[in-house]
Amino acid sequence: MKRFTLFTFLYLALGVCLTAIALGYPNLPSGLQTSLFISAGVSYLVCLFSTFPFWRETTIRFYRSRNSSVILSSLVIGFNIVWMIWEVQSQNWTMEAILQAFSRLIVVLLFAENIMIIRQVNSEH
């Protein structure tokens, strides 16, 4: 583990928040609590993997094979944010809807990190 970035700490913070919410509210439905724990676990794994060099190298290889990677990442981020807002609003801003949307932030972080790595590669060339 050599490389810590801002996203490493964001993944860790997201995992800690999701775990704290799942443990702090014992009256949550069991399905939602399980979903929060799974999302926290994925966040911890991504946090760990993001410190290894293969993480950046894989992103760079994907970018070089598809030049539209930034556009695709931006569209995925936008779609996820709109989807989360739509879902929360359609359920009248209930606690369960907010927590479900919160557990999907890992996707937004993954694609935001993808964009940042690609921009760093472009600025190096």
Side-chain angles (χ1 to χ4, degrees):
M1 292 192 265
K2 297 180 180 180
R3 186 179 187 120
F4 290 94
T5 64
L6 170 67
F7 286 97
T8 304
F9 295 108
L10 289 174
Y11 295 131
L12 182 62
L14 179 62
V16 168
C17 289
L18 291 172
T19 303
I21 291 169
L23 292 174
Y25 292 99
N27 58 347
L28 286 175
S30 63
L32 180 58
Q33 197 170 30
T34 303
S35 173
L36 289 172
F37 281 130
I38 290 171
S39 296
V42 169
S43 183
Y44 292 137
L45 286 174
V46 172
C47 173
L48 179 67
F49 289 149
S50 71
T51 61
F52 291 106
F54 77 85
W55 188 263
R56 178 181 166 91
E57 292 165 5
T58 303
T59 302
I60 292 170
R61 253 185 273 123
F62 179 77
Y63 168 68
R64 288 191 176 136
S65 67
R66 293 167 186 80
N67 289 333
S68 61
S69 181
V70 173
I71 296 169
L72 176 66
S73 297
S74 300
L75 288 173
V76 169
I77 290 171
F79 176 76
N80 271 296
I81 290 173
V82 168
W83 182 26
M84 287 186 287
I85 292 172
W86 176 269
E87 206 166 274
V88 169
Q89 192 275 333
S90 67
Q91 295 181 21
N92 292 326
W93 296 87
T94 61
M95 175 68 92
E96 288 82 13
I98 293 170
L99 292 177
Q100 285 173 348
F102 191 61
S103 67
R104 287 193 201 107
L105 283 177
I106 187 75
V107 174
V108 174
L109 284 176
L110 281 167
F111 282 97
E113 182 180 22
N114 185 19
I115 290 171
M116 292 302 297
I117 290 172
I118 291 167
R119 296 213 177 188
Q120 287 174 352
V121 168
N122 285 341
S123 69
E124 291 172 1
H125 294 288

